[in-house]
Amino acid sequence: MSEQPELPRGIALAWGVAANPQRGPKREMSVEKIVDAAIDLADAEGLTAVSMSAVASRLGFTPMSLYRYVTAKDELTLLMQETALGAPPDDVNEAESWRERLTVYHDALMGSYLAHPWVLELPLATLTVTPNSAAWLDAGIAALVGTPLDDDARLSTTLLVSGHARSAAAVVAEQHRGADFGGVDTDGEGGVLDALVTADAFPDLRRAIDAGVLQSGTDPFRFGLERILDGIAAYLAGPNVGETAAALPARADDSDVHGDKKYREARKAVREAEKALRAARTHQRQTLRDARERQAKRAT
């Protein structure tokens, strides 16, 4: 592993390798509590409601108290995104086939976005910039273990499916936000499209509306996901993939071991260990801070 680069403080906090915050006057304050309060605020009132002063007020502290732990709003929103996104669920890579695994991956990622739709308003971060974003990327790549795709193709496929999940979640979230558009019901037969789209101006769209597409109840994004997976399946069945796979050196992770119970248990243990390590580092920082406070009191 290469030498660890000097990280921005927000990223270092996410990975649990940041230097201890400056000692504050309130021992009950922590980065985790600040992030949780900010997420609660964003969930209730939207991302625009989140500011250092608003979060401080929610916690009953002054804004300067927060800056001892989180030094900027950009730092705070990065940590909010990391916590809100969470880690991929264990069942992502427990399905039988790569196609089923990617479907579970897609739906779980889309669900994470919709649980906190304000995350979709944040700019896309650099790949693997935080532990949970790295965990999602790892889960997508792992879903393709056992296929003849090389590492580049596995990453590209993961990004393709992830992008579809994010785009679909953004559309659904926007529809929810616009459920009442100017006092006009935007859903069902009384919706804006049904009310305003005419056969003269938009003949094909009008025909689709009359055919009942707005009331079909089908998932409009499932078709797109299935065609993406069809495309990957067709590519895997093509002759070029077989030739590429034959030219690749043998790799231990190229066997389809996802159905093996011990393998799944080992992967789960690794994820739990990584989570425990991050928690332990957080506890270590808090303990060291408390020890310094006790030492300072004894010195006075």
Side-chain angles (χ1 to χ4, degrees):
M1 182 179 293
S2 60
E3 183 179 350
Q4 180 175 298
E6 183 176 351
L7 299 172
R9 179 169 169 75
I11 297 175
L13 283 170
W15 285 99
V17 295
N20 291 303
Q22 300 177 36
R23 184 165 58 89
K26 301 293 184 181
R27 295 175 58 184
E28 59 267 30
M29 179 77 82
S30 69
V31 172
E32 292 76 17
K33 289 182 179 179
I34 293 170
V35 172
D36 288 343
I39 289 175
D40 289 343
L41 188 60
D43 286 345
E45 303 179 33
L47 189 61
T48 56
V50 177
S51 66
M52 299 296 277
S53 59
V55 174
S57 176
R58 195 177 186 91
L59 290 169
F61 295 105
T62 64
M64 287 306 299
S65 299
L66 265 64
Y67 283 109
R68 295 187 176 95
Y69 298 85
V70 181
T71 58
K73 184 179 178 181
D74 287 347
E75 194 174 287
L76 176 59
T77 53
L78 184 146
L79 295 172
M80 289 170 62
Q81 175 177 289
E82 165 72 358
T83 301
L85 188 62
D90 293 335
D91 61 351
V92 166
N93 282 315
E94 292 179 357
E96 291 293 328
S97 68
W98 66 266
R99 184 168 185 139
E100 292 171 328
R101 292 193 290 269
L102 282 182
T103 299
V104 175
Y105 172 90
H106 172 277
D107 292 348
L109 182 56
M110 185 174 174
S112 290
Y113 283 130
L114 291 177
H116 304 282
W118 50 265
V119 172
L120 297 163
E121 300 175 35
L122 297 172
L124 287 169
T126 304
L127 290 177
T128 69
V129 73
T130 58
N132 284 337
S133 61
W136 279 100
L137 196 58
D138 179 74
I141 294 172
L144 293 161
V145 168
T147 71
L149 294 176
D150 61 20
D151 291 327
D152 286 341
R154 291 179 187 176
L155 175 61
S156 296
T157 301
T158 299
L159 294 177
L160 178 62
V161 174
S162 300
H164 186 274
R166 183 184 176 95
S167 297
V171 172
V172 173
E174 190 63 31
Q175 287 175 338
H176 288 169
R177 281 194 294 267
D180 184 16
F181 180 74
V184 179
D185 180 12
T186 62
D187 194 16
E189 294 182 352
V192 171
L193 284 178
D194 194 19
L196 301 180
V197 170
T198 66
D200 291 337
F202 310 99
D204 294 303
L205 178 56
R206 183 68 252 176
R207 186 182 306 110
I209 293 173
D210 292 340
V213 294
L214 297 181
Q215 293 83 39
S216 66
T218 59
D219 181 354
F221 305 106
R222 185 60 53 183
F223 180 86
L225 174 63
E226 292 296 333
R227 300 298 74 76
I228 288 173
L229 299 180
D230 284 347
I232 300 302
Y235 179 75
L236 288 172
N240 292 335
V241 176
E243 293 172 3
T244 301
L248 292 173
R251 291 173 53 107
D253 67 347
D254 278 344
S255 58
D256 192 358
V257 296
H258 286 281
D260 186 89
K261 181 179 179 181
K262 289 187 177 180
Y263 176 77
R264 294 200 308 269
E265 291 174 347
R267 284 188 60 83
K268 183 177 180 180
V270 168
R271 290 194 295 269
E272 291 176 347
E274 290 172 343
K275 182 178 179 180
L277 178 60
R278 292 195 295 271
R281 284 172 171 163
T282 299
H283 178 68
Q284 180 187 36
R285 293 196 304 271
Q286 183 64 51
T287 302
L288 179 59
R289 187 161 57 248
D290 292 346
R292 287 173 174 170
E293 289 179 354
R294 290 192 296 270
Q295 185 179 31
K297 289 179 180 179
R298 287 195 295 268
T300 57

